[in-house]
Amino acid sequence: MTDTIKLRSQRWLANDDFRTANHRSRFMQMGFERKDWEGKPVVAIINSWSEFNPCHSHFRQRVEDVRRGILQEGGFALEMPSMSLNDALVKPSALLYRNMMAMEIEEMIRCYPIDAVVLMGGCDKTTPAMLLGAISAGVPAIFLPAGPMQRGHFGGRTLGSGSDAFKFWDEHRAGRISDAQWEGIIGGIARGPGTCMTMGTASTMTAIVEALGMSLPGASSIPAVDAAHQRLAAQTGRRIVGMVLENLRPARILTRCAFLNAITVAMAMGCSTNAIIHIIALARRAGHADVGLEDFDRASRRVPVVANIRPNGDSGYLMEDFFLAGGLPALMSRLGALLHLDEICVTGESLRVHVSPAQVLNEDVIRPLARPVYGEGALAVLRGNLAPDGCVIKPSAMSPKFMNHRGPALVFDDYPSLKRMLDDPDAEVTEDHVILLRNAGPKGGPGMPEWGMIPLPLKLIRQGVRDMLRVSDARMSGTSYGACVLHVAPEAWVGGPLALVQTGDLIVVDVPARRIRLDVEDAELDRRRAAWVAPPARFGRGYGRMFAEHILQADQGCDMDFLLTQTGASAGEPDIF
Ligand code: FES
């Protein structure tokens, strides 16, 4: 079946020498024989299943569906486990380990006889990690998303991942929800396998991968427990074999226009702020160093939010509703001329072939462009003397009254001191204050923990306050909401202006003008900068030290500097292998 293409795996298996015989011997050790692999593409099914990752708990079974598809199409399938990052369980932040997972996947592809890969991921950072690794390895790759979990449920109410946990936690703190009710809520909000079913980071990222063309059309919307997800897994397995024969590698799919499509779709989905970091990292790995914050801001001015899915909008729809409304192909058909539909995807065909026939089946879940959930894109990029390299805010999920705000800063250097204030019923804080948390960025966090949706002070919750302006160099969960300025770059830990703010300084935010300003004289800021002392290194050894020495700032995607060549392109495969 492979007369025209030379398989990479043949370097391990097809020669007539001692080393090759040993390789074949090791395959035979597992019960295989020549007929299993000879002349066939070796496809690694890279499976991020783990009992520490509930979002991927169905992958142990689903991998057999992928294998079925690969065998049906004449490939040779071998499962390969990868590290697994569950966003809810990993401390201090799964982003700290995204690049480690990416490096693991790149190097495992490189060092084994692998012709192509199926990437099984979905929980937040696993998606960009797997794709980053596959881009740099350069072999044909296709992504199988885990799929969103079922709706949450408690006491007759539908619950959405994250968003409702945050909301009811505040109600619990205010004494309006009992301990027993709270236990019922946390038991009912995650009812089975799959990723968070709001439009959080997981669903945003899998939609982005589909928009990039790296998974089968419609893949990102199918719920984890739906039988259609099993069929998707087998289809994915079948398709990767075809991709090997067509030599369809990530570099052919991941053009600059593909990334612009991803940004447009992200905006229309009301995406997680985390998407900015991951898209920039992916683009730069793929050799598009010119993809940056300005592309997001341009898109946000012209692309309305049309996916009416929590935490955007107030109708309470979740990913299952989105699937039944037609899923991502339907949303992309709605965006039409805003997209570059001539770009190709893993099928080898243009996006247009798959998107054009799609129909919106529920006009309230996927809104018309003329009746959006939010008139502009989900995210806005702010700049100013407090964030010279940019920061982000999510206007679609915040109180409009904070679109223009001027208030005194209440500054915290770490989370424990912030938490003491938040829990103090007599704290000196008003809703006009701007709560500022620093040393929570890429190096300071480390790994930018999702501390950016700073909880509201108990004192203000009891007064009925439900939003206020918060500023940090941290990230926030994609299921979060509120007037939270995030990803301030450069971060405080490396001496960014955030490090110079003092309690009582006035901070001015103007979202329509995309500005954020610290209202302090330049001369005074220079004096504070001269007095600033760099904090000591957090890590003396190991991965943490490598991360701290090489991690790039949020506006550059938080990749490692040494994983990018001078042009931002993949390092390729050295001849020594
Ligand atoms: Fe896994 Fe949300 S914790 S997707």
Side-chain angles (χ1 to χ4, degrees), residues 43-76:
V43 180
I45 312 170
I46 303 186
N47 187 354
S48 55
W49 173 87
S50 161
E51 282 191 336
F52 282 97
N53 196 340
C55 306
H56 297 179
S57 59
H58 55 314
F59 273 176
R60 207 184 226 175
Q61 295 81 36
R62 202 63 85 243
V63 69
E64 297 308 325
D65 297 304
V66 180
R67 191 191 308 276
R68 172 164 55 95
I70 294 169
L71 297 178
Q72 282 172 350
E73 206 62 13
F76 178 47

PDB file of all heavy atoms in Angstrom, residues 43-76:
ATOM      1  N   VAL A  43       1.255   3.901  13.244  1.00  0.00           N
ATOM      2  CA  VAL A  43       0.554   5.054  13.823  1.00  0.00           C
ATOM      3  C   VAL A  43       0.585   4.933  15.343  1.00  0.00           C
ATOM      4  O   VAL A  43       0.104   3.943  15.907  1.00  0.00           O
ATOM      5  CB  VAL A  43      -0.906   5.120  13.341  1.00  0.00           C
ATOM      6  CG1 VAL A  43      -1.610   6.332  13.968  1.00  0.00           C
ATOM      7  CG2 VAL A  43      -0.973   5.204  11.812  1.00  0.00           C
ATOM      8  N   ALA A  44       1.152   5.932  15.997  1.00  0.00           N
ATOM      9  CA  ALA A  44       1.118   5.971  17.462  1.00  0.00           C
ATOM     10  C   ALA A  44      -0.169   6.670  17.904  1.00  0.00           C
ATOM     11  O   ALA A  44      -0.479   7.769  17.434  1.00  0.00           O
ATOM     12  CB  ALA A  44       2.328   6.729  17.998  1.00  0.00           C
ATOM     13  N   ILE A  45      -0.911   5.996  18.767  1.00  0.00           N
ATOM     14  CA  ILE A  45      -2.082   6.636  19.374  1.00  0.00           C
ATOM     15  C   ILE A  45      -1.592   7.187  20.714  1.00  0.00           C
ATOM     16  O   ILE A  45      -1.395   6.429  21.671  1.00  0.00           O
ATOM     17  CB  ILE A  45      -3.226   5.636  19.602  1.00  0.00           C
ATOM     18  CG1 ILE A  45      -3.493   4.804  18.352  1.00  0.00           C
ATOM     19  CG2 ILE A  45      -4.483   6.374  20.035  1.00  0.00           C
ATOM     20  CD1 ILE A  45      -4.448   3.623  18.603  1.00  0.00           C
ATOM     21  N   ILE A  46      -1.346   8.473  20.747  1.00  0.00           N
ATOM     22  CA  ILE A  46      -0.784   9.070  21.970  1.00  0.00           C
ATOM     23  C   ILE A  46      -1.946   9.408  22.901  1.00  0.00           C
ATOM     24  O   ILE A  46      -2.756  10.291  22.619  1.00  0.00           O
ATOM     25  CB  ILE A  46       0.085  10.293  21.645  1.00  0.00           C
ATOM     26  CG1 ILE A  46       1.193   9.879  20.663  1.00  0.00           C
ATOM     27  CG2 ILE A  46       0.684  10.854  22.927  1.00  0.00           C
ATOM     28  CD1 ILE A  46       2.209  10.951  20.365  1.00  0.00           C
ATOM     29  N   ASN A  47      -2.013   8.661  23.999  1.00  0.00           N
ATOM     30  CA  ASN A  47      -3.194   8.657  24.858  1.00  0.00           C
ATOM     31  C   ASN A  47      -2.862   9.300  26.201  1.00  0.00           C
ATOM     32  O   ASN A  47      -2.025   8.790  26.946  1.00  0.00           O
ATOM     33  CB  ASN A  47      -3.652   7.199  25.054  1.00  0.00           C
ATOM     34  CG  ASN A  47      -4.970   7.102  25.790  1.00  0.00           C
ATOM     35  OD1 ASN A  47      -5.517   8.095  26.264  1.00  0.00           O
ATOM     36  ND2 ASN A  47      -5.496   5.894  25.885  1.00  0.00           N
ATOM     37  N   SER A  48      -3.537  10.406  26.510  1.00  0.00           N
ATOM     38  CA  SER A  48      -3.276  11.086  27.786  1.00  0.00           C
ATOM     39  C   SER A  48      -4.275  10.626  28.852  1.00  0.00           C
ATOM     40  O   SER A  48      -4.671  11.409  29.711  1.00  0.00           O
ATOM     41  CB  SER A  48      -3.300  12.601  27.606  1.00  0.00           C
ATOM     42  OG  SER A  48      -4.523  13.031  27.031  1.00  0.00           O
ATOM     43  N   TRP A  49      -4.655   9.344  28.795  1.00  0.00           N
ATOM     44  CA  TRP A  49      -5.489   8.771  29.852  1.00  0.00           C
ATOM     45  C   TRP A  49      -4.687   8.705  31.145  1.00  0.00           C
ATOM     46  O   TRP A  49      -3.481   8.444  31.151  1.00  0.00           O
ATOM     47  CB  TRP A  49      -5.909   7.347  29.468  1.00  0.00           C
ATOM     48  CG  TRP A  49      -6.622   6.654  30.596  1.00  0.00           C
ATOM     49  CD1 TRP A  49      -7.942   6.709  30.876  1.00  0.00           C
ATOM     50  CD2 TRP A  49      -6.015   5.836  31.609  1.00  0.00           C
ATOM     51  NE1 TRP A  49      -8.215   5.974  32.010  1.00  0.00           N
ATOM     52  CE2 TRP A  49      -7.048   5.433  32.484  1.00  0.00           C
ATOM     53  CE3 TRP A  49      -4.719   5.418  31.879  1.00  0.00           C
ATOM     54  CZ2 TRP A  49      -6.812   4.616  33.603  1.00  0.00           C
ATOM     55  CZ3 TRP A  49      -4.475   4.625  32.984  1.00  0.00           C
ATOM     56  CH2 TRP A  49      -5.529   4.219  33.826  1.00  0.00           C
ATOM     57  N   SER A  50      -5.349   8.956  32.256  1.00  0.00           N
ATOM     58  CA  SER A  50      -4.733   8.799  33.573  1.00  0.00           C
ATOM     59  C   SER A  50      -5.849   8.774  34.602  1.00  0.00           C
ATOM     60  O   SER A  50      -6.866   9.458  34.441  1.00  0.00           O
ATOM     61  CB  SER A  50      -3.793   9.984  33.860  1.00  0.00           C
ATOM     62  OG  SER A  50      -3.533  10.092  35.249  1.00  0.00           O
ATOM     63  N   GLU A  51      -5.647   7.987  35.652  1.00  0.00           N
ATOM     64  CA  GLU A  51      -6.641   8.011  36.729  1.00  0.00           C
ATOM     65  C   GLU A  51      -6.578   9.313  37.513  1.00  0.00           C
ATOM     66  O   GLU A  51      -7.430   9.578  38.351  1.00  0.00           O
ATOM     67  CB  GLU A  51      -6.461   6.802  37.650  1.00  0.00           C
ATOM     68  CG  GLU A  51      -7.040   5.537  37.038  1.00  0.00           C
ATOM     69  CD  GLU A  51      -7.117   4.370  38.009  1.00  0.00           C
ATOM     70  OE1 GLU A  51      -6.346   4.356  38.982  1.00  0.00           O
ATOM     71  OE2 GLU A  51      -7.948   3.472  37.782  1.00  0.00           O
ATOM     72  N   PHE A  52      -5.574  10.138  37.226  1.00  0.00           N
ATOM     73  CA  PHE A  52      -5.528  11.472  37.829  1.00  0.00           C
ATOM     74  C   PHE A  52      -6.229  12.499  36.944  1.00  0.00           C
ATOM     75  O   PHE A  52      -6.240  13.677  37.271  1.00  0.00           O
ATOM     76  CB  PHE A  52      -4.077  11.899  38.077  1.00  0.00           C
ATOM     77  CG  PHE A  52      -3.485  11.251  39.293  1.00  0.00           C
ATOM     78  CD1 PHE A  52      -2.699  10.123  39.183  1.00  0.00           C
ATOM     79  CD2 PHE A  52      -3.734  11.767  40.555  1.00  0.00           C
ATOM     80  CE1 PHE A  52      -2.168   9.509  40.309  1.00  0.00           C
ATOM     81  CE2 PHE A  52      -3.202  11.172  41.686  1.00  0.00           C
ATOM     82  CZ  PHE A  52      -2.419  10.038  41.566  1.00  0.00           C
ATOM     83  N   ASN A  53      -6.750  12.043  35.805  1.00  0.00           N
ATOM     84  CA  ASN A  53      -7.403  13.000  34.904  1.00  0.00           C
ATOM     85  C   ASN A  53      -8.829  12.549  34.581  1.00  0.00           C
ATOM     86  O   ASN A  53      -9.065  11.849  33.588  1.00  0.00           O
ATOM     87  CB  ASN A  53      -6.594  13.163  33.607  1.00  0.00           C
ATOM     88  CG  ASN A  53      -7.038  14.406  32.847  1.00  0.00           C
ATOM     89  OD1 ASN A  53      -8.150  14.917  33.081  1.00  0.00           O
ATOM     90  ND2 ASN A  53      -6.200  14.892  31.969  1.00  0.00           N
ATOM     91  N   PRO A  54      -9.812  12.955  35.405  1.00  0.00           N
ATOM     92  CA  PRO A  54     -11.192  12.511  35.193  1.00  0.00           C
ATOM     93  C   PRO A  54     -11.765  12.946  33.843  1.00  0.00           C
ATOM     94  O   PRO A  54     -12.665  12.280  33.320  1.00  0.00           O
ATOM     95  CB  PRO A  54     -11.956  13.166  36.350  1.00  0.00           C
ATOM     96  CG  PRO A  54     -11.078  14.260  36.858  1.00  0.00           C
ATOM     97  CD  PRO A  54      -9.673  13.826  36.584  1.00  0.00           C
ATOM     98  N   CYS A  55     -11.240  14.014  33.267  1.00  0.00           N
ATOM     99  CA  CYS A  55     -11.756  14.481  31.967  1.00  0.00           C
ATOM    100  C   CYS A  55     -11.428  13.494  30.851  1.00  0.00           C
ATOM    101  O   CYS A  55     -12.045  13.526  29.791  1.00  0.00           O
ATOM    102  CB  CYS A  55     -11.192  15.856  31.646  1.00  0.00           C
ATOM    103  SG  CYS A  55     -11.477  17.048  32.963  1.00  0.00           S
ATOM    104  N   HIS A  56     -10.446  12.640  31.068  1.00  0.00           N
ATOM    105  CA  HIS A  56     -10.016  11.673  30.053  1.00  0.00           C
ATOM    106  C   HIS A  56     -10.318  10.238  30.477  1.00  0.00           C
ATOM    107  O   HIS A  56      -9.732   9.298  29.941  1.00  0.00           O
ATOM    108  CB  HIS A  56      -8.504  11.801  29.789  1.00  0.00           C
ATOM    109  CG  HIS A  56      -8.095  13.133  29.230  1.00  0.00           C
ATOM    110  ND1 HIS A  56      -6.792  13.458  28.935  1.00  0.00           N
ATOM    111  CD2 HIS A  56      -8.825  14.225  28.908  1.00  0.00           C
ATOM    112  CE1 HIS A  56      -6.734  14.689  28.456  1.00  0.00           C
ATOM    113  NE2 HIS A  56      -7.960  15.180  28.439  1.00  0.00           N
ATOM    114  N   SER A  57     -11.215  10.054  31.427  1.00  0.00           N
ATOM    115  CA  SER A  57     -11.391   8.719  31.996  1.00  0.00           C
ATOM    116  C   SER A  57     -11.972   7.727  30.990  1.00  0.00           C
ATOM    117  O   SER A  57     -11.825   6.521  31.154  1.00  0.00           O
ATOM    118  CB  SER A  57     -12.253   8.776  33.256  1.00  0.00           C
ATOM    119  OG  SER A  57     -13.516   9.327  32.957  1.00  0.00           O
ATOM    120  N   HIS A  58     -12.598   8.196  29.908  1.00  0.00           N
ATOM    121  CA  HIS A  58     -13.126   7.298  28.877  1.00  0.00           C
ATOM    122  C   HIS A  58     -12.084   6.936  27.817  1.00  0.00           C
ATOM    123  O   HIS A  58     -12.352   6.135  26.928  1.00  0.00           O
ATOM    124  CB  HIS A  58     -14.345   7.932  28.198  1.00  0.00           C
ATOM    125  CG  HIS A  58     -14.075   9.304  27.627  1.00  0.00           C
ATOM    126  ND1 HIS A  58     -13.404  10.281  28.304  1.00  0.00           N
ATOM    127  CD2 HIS A  58     -14.403   9.856  26.427  1.00  0.00           C
ATOM    128  CE1 HIS A  58     -13.329  11.377  27.553  1.00  0.00           C
ATOM    129  NE2 HIS A  58     -13.925  11.138  26.418  1.00  0.00           N
ATOM    130  N   PHE A  59     -10.898   7.515  27.904  1.00  0.00           N
ATOM    131  CA  PHE A  59      -9.885   7.267  26.874  1.00  0.00           C
ATOM    132  C   PHE A  59      -9.368   5.824  26.891  1.00  0.00           C
ATOM    133  O   PHE A  59      -8.849   5.337  25.889  1.00  0.00           O
ATOM    134  CB  PHE A  59      -8.710   8.228  27.045  1.00  0.00           C
ATOM    135  CG  PHE A  59      -8.897   9.558  26.345  1.00  0.00           C
ATOM    136  CD1 PHE A  59      -7.953  10.560  26.475  1.00  0.00           C
ATOM    137  CD2 PHE A  59     -10.009   9.801  25.553  1.00  0.00           C
ATOM    138  CE1 PHE A  59      -8.105  11.778  25.826  1.00  0.00           C
ATOM    139  CE2 PHE A  59     -10.171  11.018  24.904  1.00  0.00           C
ATOM    140  CZ  PHE A  59      -9.214  12.010  25.040  1.00  0.00           C
ATOM    141  N   ARG A  60      -9.499   5.162  28.048  1.00  0.00           N
ATOM    142  CA  ARG A  60      -9.016   3.787  28.110  1.00  0.00           C
ATOM    143  C   ARG A  60      -9.818   2.898  27.154  1.00  0.00           C
ATOM    144  O   ARG A  60      -9.279   1.983  26.544  1.00  0.00           O
ATOM    145  CB  ARG A  60      -9.160   3.273  29.530  1.00  0.00           C
ATOM    146  CG  ARG A  60      -8.189   2.207  29.915  1.00  0.00           C
ATOM    147  CD  ARG A  60      -8.503   1.727  31.305  1.00  0.00           C
ATOM    148  NE  ARG A  60      -7.332   1.608  32.126  1.00  0.00           N
ATOM    149  CZ  ARG A  60      -7.378   1.294  33.419  1.00  0.00           C
ATOM    150  NH1 ARG A  60      -8.525   1.111  34.013  1.00  0.00           N
ATOM    151  NH2 ARG A  60      -6.285   1.186  34.105  1.00  0.00           N
ATOM    152  N   GLN A  61     -11.129   3.191  27.055  1.00  0.00           N
ATOM    153  CA  GLN A  61     -11.951   2.446  26.105  1.00  0.00           C
ATOM    154  C   GLN A  61     -11.860   3.055  24.699  1.00  0.00           C
ATOM    155  O   GLN A  61     -11.807   2.344  23.696  1.00  0.00           O
ATOM    156  CB  GLN A  61     -13.432   2.449  26.519  1.00  0.00           C
ATOM    157  CG  GLN A  61     -13.743   1.721  27.817  1.00  0.00           C
ATOM    158  CD  GLN A  61     -13.446   2.580  29.040  1.00  0.00           C
ATOM    159  OE1 GLN A  61     -13.653   3.784  29.012  1.00  0.00           O
ATOM    160  NE2 GLN A  61     -12.951   1.958  30.097  1.00  0.00           N
ATOM    161  N   ARG A  62     -11.840   4.394  24.647  1.00  0.00           N
ATOM    162  CA  ARG A  62     -11.915   5.060  23.337  1.00  0.00           C
ATOM    163  C   ARG A  62     -10.713   4.749  22.455  1.00  0.00           C
ATOM    164  O   ARG A  62     -10.824   4.740  21.219  1.00  0.00           O
ATOM    165  CB  ARG A  62     -12.042   6.583  23.566  1.00  0.00           C
ATOM    166  CG  ARG A  62     -12.646   7.328  22.415  1.00  0.00           C
ATOM    167  CD  ARG A  62     -14.101   6.897  22.125  1.00  0.00           C
ATOM    168  NE  ARG A  62     -15.024   7.638  22.968  1.00  0.00           N
ATOM    169  CZ  ARG A  62     -15.812   7.071  23.885  1.00  0.00           C
ATOM    170  NH1 ARG A  62     -15.791   5.757  24.078  1.00  0.00           N
ATOM    171  NH2 ARG A  62     -16.638   7.790  24.613  1.00  0.00           N
ATOM    172  N   VAL A  63      -9.581   4.445  23.072  1.00  0.00           N
ATOM    173  CA  VAL A  63      -8.400   4.145  22.275  1.00  0.00           C
ATOM    174  C   VAL A  63      -8.644   2.921  21.395  1.00  0.00           C
ATOM    175  O   VAL A  63      -8.092   2.810  20.287  1.00  0.00           O
ATOM    176  CB  VAL A  63      -7.167   3.952  23.201  1.00  0.00           C
ATOM    177  CG1 VAL A  63      -7.287   2.666  24.025  1.00  0.00           C
ATOM    178  CG2 VAL A  63      -5.874   3.933  22.400  1.00  0.00           C
ATOM    179  N   GLU A  64      -9.519   2.013  21.831  1.00  0.00           N
ATOM    180  CA  GLU A  64      -9.798   0.821  21.024  1.00  0.00           C
ATOM    181  C   GLU A  64     -10.601   1.187  19.773  1.00  0.00           C
ATOM    182  O   GLU A  64     -10.495   0.523  18.744  1.00  0.00           O
ATOM    183  CB  GLU A  64     -10.531  -0.236  21.860  1.00  0.00           C
ATOM    184  CG  GLU A  64      -9.700  -0.745  23.035  1.00  0.00           C
ATOM    185  CD  GLU A  64      -8.298  -1.211  22.612  1.00  0.00           C
ATOM    186  OE1 GLU A  64      -8.152  -1.756  21.499  1.00  0.00           O
ATOM    187  OE2 GLU A  64      -7.352  -0.993  23.396  1.00  0.00           O
ATOM    188  N   ASP A  65     -11.412   2.218  19.854  1.00  0.00           N
ATOM    189  CA  ASP A  65     -12.126   2.689  18.670  1.00  0.00           C
ATOM    190  C   ASP A  65     -11.152   3.294  17.663  1.00  0.00           C
ATOM    191  O   ASP A  65     -11.289   3.104  16.450  1.00  0.00           O
ATOM    192  CB  ASP A  65     -13.197   3.710  19.068  1.00  0.00           C
ATOM    193  CG  ASP A  65     -14.262   3.100  19.964  1.00  0.00           C
ATOM    194  OD1 ASP A  65     -14.879   2.102  19.553  1.00  0.00           O
ATOM    195  OD2 ASP A  65     -14.467   3.603  21.084  1.00  0.00           O
ATOM    196  N   VAL A  66     -10.185   4.052  18.178  1.00  0.00           N
ATOM    197  CA  VAL A  66      -9.165   4.616  17.282  1.00  0.00           C
ATOM    198  C   VAL A  66      -8.393   3.481  16.612  1.00  0.00           C
ATOM    199  O   VAL A  66      -8.175   3.483  15.393  1.00  0.00           O
ATOM    200  CB  VAL A  66      -8.190   5.531  18.064  1.00  0.00           C
ATOM    201  CG1 VAL A  66      -7.137   6.094  17.110  1.00  0.00           C
ATOM    202  CG2 VAL A  66      -8.931   6.657  18.767  1.00  0.00           C
ATOM    203  N   ARG A  67      -8.000   2.511  17.409  1.00  0.00           N
ATOM    204  CA  ARG A  67      -7.227   1.363  16.876  1.00  0.00           C
ATOM    205  C   ARG A  67      -8.028   0.651  15.783  1.00  0.00           C
ATOM    206  O   ARG A  67      -7.494   0.300  14.726  1.00  0.00           O
ATOM    207  CB  ARG A  67      -6.911   0.391  18.019  1.00  0.00           C
ATOM    208  CG  ARG A  67      -5.896  -0.685  17.638  1.00  0.00           C
ATOM    209  CD  ARG A  67      -5.807  -1.778  18.692  1.00  0.00           C
ATOM    210  NE  ARG A  67      -5.586  -1.283  20.032  1.00  0.00           N
ATOM    211  CZ  ARG A  67      -4.388  -0.983  20.547  1.00  0.00           C
ATOM    212  NH1 ARG A  67      -3.326  -1.105  19.797  1.00  0.00           N
ATOM    213  NH2 ARG A  67      -4.270  -0.549  21.789  1.00  0.00           N
ATOM    214  N   ARG A  68      -9.332   0.463  16.047  1.00  0.00           N
ATOM    215  CA  ARG A  68     -10.206  -0.187  15.054  1.00  0.00           C
ATOM    216  C   ARG A  68     -10.130   0.547  13.719  1.00  0.00           C
ATOM    217  O   ARG A  68      -9.987  -0.065  12.649  1.00  0.00           O
ATOM    218  CB  ARG A  68     -11.642  -0.177  15.611  1.00  0.00           C
ATOM    219  CG  ARG A  68     -12.736  -0.620  14.667  1.00  0.00           C
ATOM    220  CD  ARG A  68     -14.015  -0.947  15.451  1.00  0.00           C
ATOM    221  NE  ARG A  68     -14.493   0.151  16.306  1.00  0.00           N
ATOM    222  CZ  ARG A  68     -15.422   1.045  15.954  1.00  0.00           C
ATOM    223  NH1 ARG A  68     -15.972   0.964  14.772  1.00  0.00           N
ATOM    224  NH2 ARG A  68     -15.811   1.998  16.780  1.00  0.00           N
ATOM    225  N   GLY A  69     -10.199   1.856  13.766  1.00  0.00           N
ATOM    226  CA  GLY A  69     -10.159   2.651  12.533  1.00  0.00           C
ATOM    227  C   GLY A  69      -8.833   2.521  11.810  1.00  0.00           C
ATOM    228  O   GLY A  69      -8.788   2.375  10.581  1.00  0.00           O
ATOM    229  N   ILE A  70      -7.738   2.551  12.546  1.00  0.00           N
ATOM    230  CA  ILE A  70      -6.407   2.450  11.925  1.00  0.00           C
ATOM    231  C   ILE A  70      -6.244   1.094  11.243  1.00  0.00           C
ATOM    232  O   ILE A  70      -5.779   1.001  10.091  1.00  0.00           O
ATOM    233  CB  ILE A  70      -5.305   2.664  12.997  1.00  0.00           C
ATOM    234  CG1 ILE A  70      -5.353   4.105  13.531  1.00  0.00           C
ATOM    235  CG2 ILE A  70      -3.926   2.360  12.420  1.00  0.00           C
ATOM    236  CD1 ILE A  70      -4.498   4.343  14.764  1.00  0.00           C
ATOM    237  N   LEU A  71      -6.651   0.030  11.926  1.00  0.00           N
ATOM    238  CA  LEU A  71      -6.513  -1.314  11.349  1.00  0.00           C
ATOM    239  C   LEU A  71      -7.401  -1.481  10.117  1.00  0.00           C
ATOM    240  O   LEU A  71      -6.996  -2.080   9.115  1.00  0.00           O
ATOM    241  CB  LEU A  71      -6.859  -2.371  12.402  1.00  0.00           C
ATOM    242  CG  LEU A  71      -5.933  -2.414  13.641  1.00  0.00           C
ATOM    243  CD1 LEU A  71      -6.414  -3.479  14.626  1.00  0.00           C
ATOM    244  CD2 LEU A  71      -4.486  -2.665  13.242  1.00  0.00           C
ATOM    245  N   GLN A  72      -8.620  -0.934  10.198  1.00  0.00           N
ATOM    246  CA  GLN A  72      -9.542  -1.040   9.052  1.00  0.00           C
ATOM    247  C   GLN A  72      -8.918  -0.446   7.791  1.00  0.00           C
ATOM    248  O   GLN A  72      -9.141  -0.930   6.684  1.00  0.00           O
ATOM    249  CB  GLN A  72     -10.840  -0.271   9.356  1.00  0.00           C
ATOM    250  CG  GLN A  72     -11.805  -1.001  10.264  1.00  0.00           C
ATOM    251  CD  GLN A  72     -12.960  -0.105  10.680  1.00  0.00           C
ATOM    252  OE1 GLN A  72     -12.953   1.109  10.439  1.00  0.00           O
ATOM    253  NE2 GLN A  72     -13.954  -0.694  11.319  1.00  0.00           N
ATOM    254  N   GLU A  73      -8.120   0.589   7.978  1.00  0.00           N
ATOM    255  CA  GLU A  73      -7.595   1.309   6.813  1.00  0.00           C
ATOM    256  C   GLU A  73      -6.211   0.804   6.405  1.00  0.00           C
ATOM    257  O   GLU A  73      -5.576   1.376   5.521  1.00  0.00           O
ATOM    258  CB  GLU A  73      -7.566   2.813   7.151  1.00  0.00           C
ATOM    259  CG  GLU A  73      -7.661   3.746   5.981  1.00  0.00           C
ATOM    260  CD  GLU A  73      -8.974   3.622   5.201  1.00  0.00           C
ATOM    261  OE1 GLU A  73      -9.928   2.996   5.693  1.00  0.00           O
ATOM    262  OE2 GLU A  73      -9.011   4.151   4.076  1.00  0.00           O
ATOM    263  N   GLY A  74      -5.728  -0.225   7.110  1.00  0.00           N
ATOM    264  CA  GLY A  74      -4.449  -0.819   6.705  1.00  0.00           C
ATOM    265  C   GLY A  74      -3.241  -0.257   7.412  1.00  0.00           C
ATOM    266  O   GLY A  74      -2.115  -0.402   6.913  1.00  0.00           O
ATOM    267  N   GLY A  75      -3.418   0.391   8.555  1.00  0.00           N
ATOM    268  CA  GLY A  75      -2.279   0.871   9.330  1.00  0.00           C
ATOM    269  C   GLY A  75      -1.920  -0.109  10.436  1.00  0.00           C
ATOM    270  O   GLY A  75      -2.614  -1.103  10.672  1.00  0.00           O
ATOM    271  N   PHE A  76      -0.802   0.161  11.083  1.00  0.00           N
ATOM    272  CA  PHE A  76      -0.356  -0.637  12.234  1.00  0.00           C
ATOM    273  C   PHE A  76      -0.402   0.301  13.441  1.00  0.00           C
ATOM    274  O   PHE A  76       0.287   1.325  13.460  1.00  0.00           O
ATOM    275  CB  PHE A  76       1.067  -1.149  11.980  1.00  0.00           C
ATOM    276  CG  PHE A  76       1.641  -1.954  13.119  1.00  0.00           C
ATOM    277  CD1 PHE A  76       0.899  -2.959  13.736  1.00  0.00           C
ATOM    278  CD2 PHE A  76       2.938  -1.720  13.558  1.00  0.00           C
ATOM    279  CE1 PHE A  76       1.435  -3.711  14.771  1.00  0.00           C
ATOM    280  CE2 PHE A  76       3.483  -2.473  14.599  1.00  0.00           C
ATOM    281  CZ  PHE A  76       2.727  -3.460  15.207  1.00  0.00           C
TER     282      PHE A  76
END
